[in-house]
Amino acid sequence: MSHFSRLKTRIVDLLFLKRALADMELDVVEGRSKIRGYLGRKMTVDLKVRTPEGYDIGFIKNGDTYEVVADWDMVRSFSQEAFVKEVTRRYAYHVVKDQLAEQEFQVVNEDRQGETVSLTLRRM
C-alpha cells in the first residue's frame, strides 16, 4: 500500500533550497499547497516540486529544518535516495558559495568531476 513518507534533512534555508531545485531545473511552486498521493490522498506542504506523474514532492518546515515528503511509490521520475542526495548536494554548494562570499572570497575557477566540485578562490 502506498503512503506519504517523510524524510528529515539538514536543509534550513529556503533561499538555498530554491536555488538547489532551480539548478535541477525542477518546476517549483512556492507557498502552501497540496501534493497528491495514492488514492487521491493529499498533504499540505510549504514548497512543492511538480513531477510528470502528478504525484508531487513536497518540503515541509518542521522546526528549524525542512522535511522531504512524497508518495515515493507513485513518483516514477526520481528515486527517493537520488532526489534527496542531489538536492542536498546542490544545497550545500550554494551554502558554501554564500559563506565564501561573506568572507570576501571570489570563485575564480570551478571544476566538476562527477559529484565532486573543486573551487579555486581568490580573496577580494
Side-chain angles (χ1 to χ4, degrees), residues 8-58:
K8 293 182 181 197
T9 71
R10 292 184 159 176
I11 295 172
V12 296
D13 191 296
L14 182 60
L15 174 65
F16 298 132
L17 173 57
K18 292 189 303 186
R19 287 181 184 171
L21 296 170
D23 287 350
M24 296 169 66
E25 299 180 350
L26 298 173
D27 184 11
V28 175
V29 177
E30 195 174 342
R32 305 276 293 168
S33 58
K34 296 203 182 284
I35 61 171
R36 184 170 65 105
Y38 183 67
L39 295 176
R41 293 186 180 108
K42 297 194 184 233
M43 178 175 275
T44 302
V45 297
D46 298 309
L47 187 75
K48 175 168 76 172
V49 177
R50 291 190 173 134
T51 67
E53 306 84 25
Y55 295 97
D56 301 320
I57 301 166

Side-chain angles (χ1 to χ4, degrees), residues 57 68 72 75-86:
I57 301 166
V68 180
W72 292 103
V75 175
R76 304 272 188 249
S77 49
F78 301 101
S79 74
Q80 177 181 350
E81 182 180 317
F83 178 81
V84 172
K85 182 177 181 180
E86 184 62 14

Side-chain angles (χ1 to χ4, degrees), residues 55-72:
Y55 295 97
D56 301 320
I57 301 166
F59 288 86
I60 298 173
K61 182 81 170 178
N62 186 2
D64 292 338
T65 62
Y66 283 88
E67 293 179 341
V68 180
V69 61
D71 188 336
W72 292 103

Side-chain angles (χ1 to χ4, degrees), residues 80-111:
Q80 177 181 350
E81 182 180 317
F83 178 81
V84 172
K85 182 177 181 180
E86 184 62 14
V87 169
T88 303
R89 189 175 75 79
R90 297 304 311 162
Y91 175 85
Y93 168 83
H94 287 288
V95 169
V96 167
K97 280 192 69 172
D98 185 70
Q99 289 176 350
L100 289 169
E102 284 180 14
Q103 296 175 31
E104 298 184 356
F105 283 99
Q106 177 183 9
V107 176
V108 293
N109 187 39
E110 187 173 311
D111 183 37

